[in-house]
Amino acid sequence: MADDKIKVTILPTGTMHADLTWLLIDPSRMATQQSPDKKKDWVEVPTHAVFIEHPDGKKLLWDTGVPRNWEERWGPTGLDQFFPVDATTEDMWLDSRLKQLGLEAGDIDYLLLSHLHLDHAANAQFWNGTDTTIVVDEAEKEGAFSFDGYNKGAHIKSDYDGLELTTINEDTEILPGVTLLRTPGHTWGTLSLQVDLKDTGTMIFASDSLYRSESFGPPPIAAGIVYDTVAWFNSVEKIRSIQEKTDAQVVFGHDPVQFTELKLGPGNSYT
């Protein structure tokens, strides 16, 4: 890696399946009186993490993927039936990915969590007891600890309970060229990640602010799992504004078609 370049590696971290209605509330796909038996779309829902090597020597990781023991962890929520992790190979699990990179959890300087849902923060406990700075949105942390019991929807408290979470409450440049964008709506405090690369240009990792290309539009199409629809639409247009200004490539949170078009895995990096 050139000393003056940020290096970005997108890591597939497990693939779920789900009914597309969870991801897109699209009237064209819904049953009607004339078509009451319209076929449901059972689609791939890939997950990913992003490993960032910064020229100042820091290592960052964006999100953590799904857990190996998803059936046990997700069973009490009922979501194991709606989002089975049924298309994942051994090399995709996050612990496998870290080994492929020659890293242990504590080698990561910053763990950036887009939000604390079960398919993004599921492996965050790998960093319990390390010196890694774990960053989340302030509103996300507040919401994620605002309930009693095992879970609230896709927030499973044990995924993140006991971790020291550093919070931000505005768009924040973590390191030169690496900026967290506040894009709430999907959850209380969903974040997106902007990385400004020398060769590739700007990339925006939208996480669940934008599930798929159809989510972005225009027009944007909202999803079945949105905490605040008004905030979500505002966040989509915020991402669009930055994308237009920077000519960024937007990487969607769970788009199986786009996934086939990206450079993926260790050794296939963007600079």
Side-chain angles (χ1 to χ4, degrees), residues 7 18-19 29 33 38 47 56 61 64 69 78 85 98 129 131 150 177 182 186 213 218 227 257 261-262:
K7 181 179 176 182
D19 189 310
R29 298 177 183 274
Q33 187 175 22
K38 185 171 281 192
T47 71
D56 73 357
L61 189 70
T64 72
N69 58 343
V85 185
L98 290 173
D131 293 328
Y150 185 78
R182 298 191 87 198
H186 172 68
S213 62
Y227 167 73
V257 175
E261 301 165 350
L262 295 168

Side-chain angles (χ1 to χ4, degrees), residues 101-132:
L101 295 167
L103 298 173
E104 296 182 358
D107 296 327
I108 301 294
D109 297 288
Y110 292 93
L111 175 63
L112 312 174
L113 295 174
S114 64
H115 58 302
L116 296 173
H117 269 174
L118 48 72
D119 57 327
H120 292 264
N123 294 305
Q125 292 292 349
F126 288 1
W127 282 269
N128 201 335
T130 69
D131 293 328
T132 301

Side-chain angles (χ1 to χ4, degrees), residues 119-178:
D119 57 327
H120 292 264
N123 294 305
Q125 292 292 349
F126 288 1
W127 282 269
N128 201 335
T130 69
D131 293 328
T132 301
T133 299
I134 306 174
V135 184
V136 299
D137 185 274
E138 180 179 77
E140 185 71 7
K141 179 180 177 180
E142 181 181 352
F145 286 100
S146 67
F147 61 91
D148 297 322
Y150 185 78
N151 71 295
K152 183 174 185 176
H155 285 88
I156 297 177
K157 192 175 285 186
S158 58
D159 283 351
Y160 47 82
D161 199 13
L163 298 176
E164 185 176 338
L165 301 176
T166 298
T167 60
I168 62 169
N169 58 17
E170 60 185 354
D171 293 354
T172 301
E173 189 173 56
I174 299 297
L175 293 170
V178 181

Side-chain angles (χ1 to χ4, degrees), residues 10-31:
I10 302 172
L11 304 170
T13 49
T15 299
M16 307 175 284
H17 277 85
D19 189 310
L20 185 59
T21 305
W22 285 104
L23 309 179
L24 292 173
I25 301 177
D26 181 355
S28 70
R29 298 177 183 274
M30 294 179 180

Side-chain angles (χ1 to χ4, degrees), residues 10 28 48 58 78 83-84 106 108 121 126 161 163-164 166 175 194 199 208 212 230 236 250 266 268:
I10 302 172
S28 70
H48 66 269
K58 300 292 187 184
F83 296 93
I108 301 294
F126 288 1
D161 199 13
L163 298 176
E164 185 176 338
T166 298
L175 293 170
Q194 177 179 338
D199 299 331
D208 288 359
R212 298 163 55 107
V230 173
V236 172
V250 179
N268 297 298

